[in-house]
Amino acid sequence: MNRIFSGIQPTGNLHLGNYLGAIRNWVALQNAYECIFCIVDLHALTLPQDPDELRASTREVTAAYIAAGVDPERCIIFNQSMVSAHAELAWLLSCITPLGWLNRMTQFKEKAGKQRDLAGLGLYAYPVLMAADILGYKATHVPVGEDQKQHLELARDIAGAFNRRYERDFFPLPEPQIFGTGTRVMSLRDGTKKMSKSDPSDYSRINMTDDRDTVALKIRRAKTDPEPLPGTIEALEVRPEADNLVGIYAALADQSRETALQKFAGQNFSVFKEALTELSVATLGPIGGEMRRLVADPGHIDAVLRRGAERAAAIAEPILREVKDITGLLRP
Ligand code: AMP
Ligand code: TRP
């Protein structure tokens, strides 16, 4: 059986990268798979969070899923901390994960910064919790953006380590699903950095709730070079900022980079940027509006999450019980 698990951290502003790299693909996948989409609030705690902001952000991410078209009836939508199996399984898996595997994780190095001794244990153990999220449901497929590839390989390694240690085919090895042109959306200010929630510059990203004027301003200010758009992909690829904007256009229009580029080859950026603004607003405008409407009714969102958590626990708890039996832990 095919089962999808994916998640987003409730830490600040959801942006076009989250939409194109993750949420948009989920909407398409929900017809073909059993889907579980999580708001990973325990992962958010790996860096300091204001409690009120964390609550608000958890509801906002939930609203984004629903507004983008993820159906809470067909899919399971819930926040991670409501299902205690995630944290329990993370401990059990951490005991079979060699430190050497975690030491390779580039995201930890980026997030911990120079003062690594001050970074929390949770930040270091983060990929093990992510493996528990996925393996706790025996998920077979994980649709994410490209930045999560390394974490997914680790989840596969941990699944393999468990299966070998206990000599059985218990966890399926989860397959990453990284597809389309929007798997790595870069910052609008620096084509070598990914668009991220934590970038201090508001002009670096388009948020899912930005209004038309804000989107227009950010795209107008997006870094480019003085040359018009080139005619070939090879010439585009050596210009990271231009390449990124064409990539965003292509992802929004559901076209290849080649097709998008052909339409604007030889034109000035001002023309292209106007077209990109129109396309962004046409896609994000209705989603942002629906997000605002949903967030205004937190009672409804909380009910969706509670119901999702019940359905999620009904899958994860029996799997955790089996893991405990296999591991040799006595249960009530
Ligand atoms: P995060 O914002 O780190 O919680 O990421 C949530 C999801 O969005 C993951 O599937 C990421 O891979 C994806 N994602 C985050 N940033 C980007 C980006 N700049 N481009 C494409 N996908 C992204
Ligand atoms: N680590 C992911 C990110 O930052 C979020 C995440 C947590 C996740 N658990 C997951 C994604 C399980 C997919 C599957 O983007």
Side-chain angles (χ1 to χ4, degrees), residues 6-9 15 17-18 21-22 126 143-148 182-186 194-197:
S6 196
I8 296 184
Q9 297 187 62
H15 52 70
N18 296 130
Y126 172 121
V144 282
E146 195 162 295
D147 59 330
Q148 294 303 313
T183 55
R184 195 170 171 78
V185 178
M186 309 310 277
K194 71 167 187 164
M195 187 177 283
S196 121
K197 291 178 190 147

Side-chain angles (χ1 to χ4, degrees), residues 35 38 65 70 80 125 138 140 149 161 163 165 187 263 305:
C35 289
C38 192
Y65 290 4
V70 177
Q80 190 184 27
K138 294 193 174 183
T140 53
K149 207 169 165 183
N163 292 347
R165 164 83 59 99
S187 156
K263 201 163 160 199
L305 292 173

Side-chain angles (χ1 to χ4, degrees), residues 266-323:
Q267 304 218 32
N268 285 332
F269 269 99
S270 55
V271 176
F272 170 69
K273 281 181 166 182
E274 263 177 48
L276 181 58
T277 300
E278 285 313 313
L279 196 54
S280 306
V281 170
T283 308
L284 292 184
I287 298 176
E290 182 64 7
M291 277 173 74
R292 276 187 286 276
R293 200 185 65 76
L294 286 162
V295 165
D297 184 0
H300 172 68
I301 292 197
D302 292 358
V304 168
L305 292 173
R306 270 198 307 275
R307 171 85 188 107
E310 275 169 21
R311 292 165 68 197
I315 301 172
E317 278 169 8
I319 294 174
L320 180 64
R321 276 201 293 274
E322 260 190 279
V323 172

Side-chain angles (χ1 to χ4, degrees), residues 1-3 34 137-138 140-141:
M1 193 206 30
N2 286 326
R3 180 180 283 156
E34 178 188 0
Y137 297 85
K138 294 193 174 183
T140 53
H141 294 81

Side-chain angles (χ1 to χ4, degrees), residues 17-298:
N18 296 130
Y19 179 68
L20 294 175
I23 304 175
R24 186 180 66 160
N25 297 327
W26 304 352
V27 178
L29 290 164
Q30 66 185 335
N31 301 318
Y33 294 84
E34 178 188 0
C35 289
I36 305 168
F37 297 122
C38 192
I39 297 94
V40 289
D41 49 6
L42 296 174
H43 276 104
L45 290 177
T46 56
L47 293 174
Q49 304 296 334
D50 174 85
D52 286 332
E53 278 173 25
L54 179 58
R55 270 184 285 271
S57 191
T58 301
R59 293 187 178 117
E60 178 167 293
V61 177
T62 311
Y65 290 4
I66 300 171
V70 177
D71 177 357
E73 293 302 318
R74 251 185 302 168
C75 308
I76 296 178
I77 300 178
F78 74 109
N79 58 309
Q80 190 184 27
S81 62
M82 278 202 203
V83 178
S84 59
H86 293 247
E88 280 192 71
L89 184 59
W91 174 260
L92 300 177
L93 297 179
S94 76
C95 294
I96 59 162
T97 306
L99 291 184
W101 292 2
L102 292 177
N103 288 337
R104 288 205 295 267
M105 297 295 114
T106 51
Q107 186 177 293
F108 172 74
K109 291 177 197 164
E110 281 162 26
K111 289 197 179 178
K114 290 206 175 66
Q115 292 193 291
R116 201 168 293 176
D117 282 356
L118 295 182
L121 174 59
L123 190 64
Y124 188 67
Y126 172 121
V128 182
L129 178 59
M130 178 162 162
D133 296 339
I134 298 164
L135 302 181
Y137 297 85
K138 294 193 174 183
T140 53
H141 294 81
V142 185
V144 282
E146 195 162 295
D147 59 330
Q148 294 303 313
K149 207 169 165 183
Q150 196 183 35
H151 290 158
L152 264 165
E153 274 156 19
L154 183 78
R156 290 168 63 89
D157 288 344
I158 294 176
F162 184 92
N163 292 347
R164 275 193 307 281
R165 164 83 59 99
Y166 297 103
E167 295 177 328
R168 66 197 75 198
D169 224 7
F170 186 74
F171 288 123
L173 304 191
E175 292 285 341
Q177 291 179 306
I178 301 172
F179 31 50
T181 18
T183 55
R184 195 170 171 78
V185 178
M186 309 310 277
S187 156
L188 300 181
R189 306 299 310 160
D190 177 351
T192 64
K193 263 186 12 195
K194 71 167 187 164
M195 187 177 283
S196 121
K197 291 178 190 147
S198 55
D199 194 312
S201 162
D202 268 351
Y203 286 100
S204 70
R205 67 179 161 260
I206 295 172
N207 296 321
M208 286 180 71
T209 47
D210 281 347
D211 61 19
R212 164 180 282 275
D213 290 350
T214 310
V215 172
L217 184 64
K218 287 178 178 175
I219 292 181
R220 229 180 299 129
R221 293 234 188 135
K223 192 174 159 200
T224 44
D225 47 53
E227 299 295 315
L229 282 138
T232 65
I233 290 290
E234 293 71 33
L236 183 67
E237 275 170 3
V238 294
R239 295 161 62 183
E241 282 84 13
D243 188 29
N244 184 40
L245 293 181
V246 173
I248 292 174
Y249 186 97
L252 284 168
D254 233 340
Q255 295 172 342
S256 67
R257 266 184 157 71
E258 285 81 357
T259 310
L261 184 61
Q262 259 155 32
K263 201 163 160 199
F264 297 98
Q267 304 218 32
N268 285 332
F269 269 99
S270 55
V271 176
F272 170 69
K273 281 181 166 182
E274 263 177 48
L276 181 58
T277 300
E278 285 313 313
L279 196 54
S280 306
V281 170
T283 308
L284 292 184
I287 298 176
E290 182 64 7
M291 277 173 74
R292 276 187 286 276
R293 200 185 65 76
L294 286 162
V295 165
D297 184 0

